[in-house]
Amino acid sequence: ISFGLDITDRKRAEEDLRNRTRGLGALLEVSKSLASTLDMETVLQATTDGVTKLFGLDTAAVYLLEGDMLRLEATTPALPPQFPEELRSAPTSDHPHIREAVTSGAPVFVPDVVTADLTPAERAVTEQRDLRTMLFLPLIAGVKSVGTLIVGSTGKPRVITDAEIDLCRTLANLGALAVENARLYKSGQQYNVELERMLIERKKAEEALRESEERFRTLLARVDSVAVQGFGPDGVIHYWNKASERLYGYSAEEAQGRNILDLIVPLEAREPIASAMRQMADTGSPLPSLEASLSELEGVPGDEL
């Protein structure tokens, strides 16, 4: 009798090992499918298809969290056309079993929905899908839950073993990781699109600025009787027209890159004008013409300089 029990136990252990091996092999195939794409819709559908194929279950669905809302993203089999829209998106408060799985980070098993305490929203889903046994698995990426994978049987209750729950949990974690990768990829694509748009706008703005500067330089080049200089808040000259060449005796090549104060302002007048230039840089206030400033400092009319 003892020998017979040993054989029975051994056969049971061998069968359990074969089942685990088959389950791991199927899990490997599903994980390869998840790793082969970064498209969110494909990832989610591979998750629900994979878990039903893995254990011969009748149905699976993925709900993703969007704040306090749940959004139905993928199902196996596909939803019927008459599936209510209000069941595709709902607050987590309407689905306490999903909320428990998400907040606890642990599977929630409902052996038979007929005898379970369900909310009206949960009952409506089970009736729409003819569900009897349900297993809620959190989709955990890193340290946070991003949603829930729900698997179950239809028509009649089904026993789901601890080993199957462990494999389902592993698949849910793989699915959560694939979801996060897909989200990061999508965010990266959106960032690249936005960056490309910004670069295009920047190039257009730079081109418009170059064209504007060119028109401005062309216009100033035609002004032959008035000395015009262009310089920044630091006083460094970047424009020097022909009239300035005649008035001050420096060519444009000699003047550009030098400081306007060093070039045409007497030593005793440089600090007041430099102070006015610093104020212009800080406040945006306009800077009077150098000729007017020098006239005021020297006490002589500007046209006598």
Side-chain angles (χ1 to χ4, degrees):
I1 295 175
S2 177
F3 181 73
L5 287 176
D6 288 343
I7 292 177
T8 300
D9 291 342
R10 194 184 327 160
K11 286 184 177 180
R12 187 180 297 115
E14 290 175 351
E15 180 63 25
D16 183 60
L17 180 60
R18 281 194 292 270
N19 289 337
R20 285 177 176 270
T21 302
R22 284 195 296 269
L24 289 172
L27 184 61
L28 178 61
E29 291 302 313
V30 175
S31 66
K32 287 180 179 178
S33 176
L34 290 174
S36 66
T37 180
L38 288 171
D39 177 71
M40 178 72 77
E41 184 177 341
T42 305
V43 163
L44 295 174
Q45 195 60 55
T47 301
T48 58
D49 290 346
V51 72
T52 54
K53 184 184 298 183
L54 191 59
F55 302 110
L57 293 166
D58 301 315
T59 183
V62 168
Y63 281 86
L64 293 184
L65 282 171
E66 297 177 355
D68 293 330
M69 297 293 292
L70 293 163
R71 179 70 185 175
L72 182 59
E73 298 288 352
T75 64
T76 301
L79 292 175
Q82 69 273 18
F83 194 82
E85 182 60 33
E86 62 268 18
L87 296 181
R88 298 173 188 263
S89 180
T92 54
S93 56
D94 287 353
H95 296 268
H97 287 88
I98 293 179
R99 184 175 58 191
E100 181 183 351
V102 168
T103 55
S104 69
V108 175
F109 183 50
V110 179
D112 191 347
V113 301
V114 173
T115 58
D117 182 17
L118 303 179
T119 64
E122 289 178 320
R123 185 69 65 186
V125 172
T126 62
E127 291 173 355
Q128 283 285 334
R129 303 294 275 171
D130 191 27
L131 295 170
R132 284 297 297 271
T133 297
M134 300 179 71
L135 175 64
F136 301 83
L137 298 142
L139 294 171
I140 301 175
V143 295
K144 67 175 182 178
S145 295
V146 298
T148 308
L149 170 64
I150 306 172
V151 296
S153 67
T154 60
K156 61 181 181 179
R158 182 191 189 282
V159 174
I160 301 179
T161 66
D162 290 341
E164 289 175 329
I165 290 177
D166 286 342
L167 282 175
C168 282
R169 194 170 187 177
T170 300
L171 177 58
N173 290 337
L174 288 173
L177 181 60
V179 166
E180 282 300 281
N181 288 340
R183 280 178 170 173
L184 288 173
Y185 177 72
K186 184 177 181 180
S187 296
Q189 283 186 313
Q190 292 173 341
Y191 174 77
N192 287 337
V193 170
E194 180 64 16
L195 182 60
E196 184 176 355
R197 183 190 65 79
M198 290 172 62
L199 288 174
I200 291 174
E201 290 182 356
R202 176 82 174 265
K203 289 179 179 179
K204 287 181 178 179
E206 290 176 349
E207 182 62 28
L209 180 60
R210 282 194 296 269
E211 292 177 357
S212 176
E213 288 180 345
E214 184 61 32
R215 287 195 298 269
F216 180 67
R217 289 177 181 274
T218 301
L219 177 63
L220 289 181
R222 295 172 181 171
V223 179
D224 203 33
S225 59
V226 179
V228 180
Q229 306 90 38
F231 52 90
D234 56 359
V236 176
I237 299 169
H238 58 78
Y239 181 78
W240 190 265
N241 73 347
K242 292 292 185 182
S244 296
E245 291 182 349
R246 293 193 299 270
L247 180 62
Y248 297 108
Y250 297 101
S251 68
E253 291 75 15
E254 292 172 325
Q256 288 175 1
R258 297 178 64 178
N259 195 292
I260 189 75
L261 299 179
D262 298 336
L263 203 61
I264 67 172
V265 178
L267 184 60
E268 64 274 10
R270 289 178 186 174
E271 181 51 38
I273 294 178
S275 177
M277 292 172 64
R278 288 192 295 269
Q279 184 178 1
M280 177 191 69
D282 293 339
T283 65
S285 59
L287 179 70
S289 69
L290 290 182
E291 286 82 358
S293 300
L294 290 172
S295 298
E296 183 179 341
L297 289 168
E298 297 176 5
V300 295
D303 58 2
E304 295 182 12
L305 288 173

